[in-house]
Amino acid sequence: FTIDNPDEHISWHDFITNSLTRPTRLFFTEPIVLLVTVMCAAAFGQIYLFTEALPAIYTQAPLSFTTKQASLSFIPFAIGLGLNILPRFYDRNLLKRINARNEVIKPEHKIRAFAIGAPLLAIGLWWFAWAISPAVHAPWPISFLPLILIGFATNEFDCTLAGYMTGSYPVFSASAFASLAFVRAVVSGSLPLFTNQMYQGLGANKATTILAALATAFCGAPVLFLKLGERLRERSAFARYSREAEKWMGSFAKERGKVVGSSNSGDDLV
């Protein structure tokens, strides 16, 4: 296997060093890894943010829920997470159509549903931001409904983007996931530390509006990945090596299959 590897290292010292630094290199030098990591960390981190924000929102006037009543606001969030199974039926049908045409599955095929999840996250957050007190005195069911969209979109971010990154860097997916997991853990652990201060200082409406504005910026990511994703991978040494390695392994598997088949035929003749 003589493909030019942009990340080839020989000594154990180099191997250990780059096992620690490669995730950092991918994060800062690969636009796909950077964008996927930031979006997944922000989407996943808001789950932890809402564990602090939702009780504070619903226990204040005019709703004045008790702590137990306020915890019911997590039910629509959970419903949205469960509804994430619906796009998987679409993915399954898409896979069948691709296989029927004998086409190659591209990473972009894995993020079709993300093109729906991204705007739904923005819609859900904008809706929630201006359906809660103190600026708006709407009945509590009005503010529960957008939480379904938020829950659905949050899970869609994590599910589809992870698959997209794996498809883009199959050989280096462990390193790419290492950077994602680290940033996601830091964001998820940090957001609850200042959620109460943020919501008390800005008010629930303005604080959630900041989240909605960030989610709105993410709406351009599906277009970027679907239109320019292949071009970004062509310019990436890591992605090119992964693609060539997959081709080599596919060819090797076919040749091995032929050898095994020939040997089995010989055994049958004997």
Side-chain angles (χ1 to χ4, degrees):
F1 188 39
T2 58
I3 297 174
D4 183 22
N5 184 354
D7 198 40
E8 183 180 6
H9 300 281
I10 300 175
S11 70
W12 279 102
H13 176 269
D14 288 341
F15 172 76
I16 294 173
T17 300
N18 283 274
S19 293
L20 298 175
T21 60
R22 187 188 298 154
T24 304
R25 290 175 57 195
L26 284 167
F27 178 75
F28 285 107
T29 63
E30 296 294 324
I32 291 176
V33 177
L34 175 62
L35 289 173
V36 168
T37 299
V38 170
M39 289 189 293
C40 282
F44 205 81
Q46 75 176 1
I47 297 177
Y48 293 86
L49 182 146
F50 277 125
T51 60
E52 295 288 332
L54 291 181
I57 290 170
Y58 287 103
T59 54
Q60 69 180 354
L63 295 175
S64 301
F65 283 12
T66 64
T67 302
K68 290 184 178 180
Q69 290 172 332
S71 65
L72 296 176
S73 59
F74 293 104
I75 293 178
F77 208 102
I79 292 173
L81 293 174
L83 290 176
N84 189 251
I85 194 174
L86 297 178
R88 306 292 75 81
F89 291 108
Y90 169 80
D91 291 340
R92 183 178 180 183
N93 290 330
L94 178 62
L95 177 61
K96 288 181 178 179
R97 294 198 302 269
I98 293 173
N99 290 334
R101 295 193 296 264
N102 292 321
E103 295 178 355
V104 178
I105 299 174
K106 297 181 179 180
E108 285 73 28
H109 290 137
K110 302 179 181 181
I111 57 170
R112 299 289 181 84
F114 173 58
I116 299 174
L120 283 182
L121 180 62
I123 292 170
L125 286 170
W126 282 111
W127 181 357
F128 183 73
W130 297 101
I132 54 177
S133 59
V136 180
H137 302 293
W140 62 265
I142 301 299
S143 61
F144 270 31
L145 292 176
L147 293 176
I148 298 176
L149 300 181
I150 295 171
F152 171 85
T154 298
N155 204 20
E156 194 64 29
F157 267 65
D158 201 49
C159 178
T160 57
L161 290 177
Y164 178 66
M165 191 166 65
T166 301
S168 298
Y169 306 92
V171 175
F172 302 103
S173 58
S175 295
F177 266 103
S179 64
L180 187 154
F182 176 76
V183 175
R184 184 173 61 187
V186 170
V187 172
S188 298
S190 301
L191 287 179
L193 298 178
F194 57 84
T195 298
N196 287 329
Q197 294 87 334
M198 175 180 172
Y199 272 73
Q200 290 174 4
L202 298 176
N205 306 99
K206 292 182 179 179
T208 310
T209 295
I210 294 175
L211 302 179
L214 180 62
T216 303
F218 291 161
C219 290
V223 178
L224 175 65
F225 289 151
L226 291 172
K227 296 293 185 181
L228 302 177
E230 190 168 0
R231 190 180 306 175
L232 290 173
R233 291 195 304 277
E234 288 292 337
R235 297 175 59 182
S236 166
F238 288 100
R240 286 200 306 272
Y241 176 77
S242 293
R243 184 176 63 254
E244 293 300 322
E246 279 194 317
K247 289 181 180 178
W248 182 88
M249 288 185 287
S251 301
F252 178 78
K254 289 181 180 179
E255 291 298 325
R256 184 175 178 82
K258 291 179 181 178
V259 172
V260 173
S262 300
S263 62
N264 289 338
S265 300
D267 292 340
D268 293 339
L269 292 175
V270 174

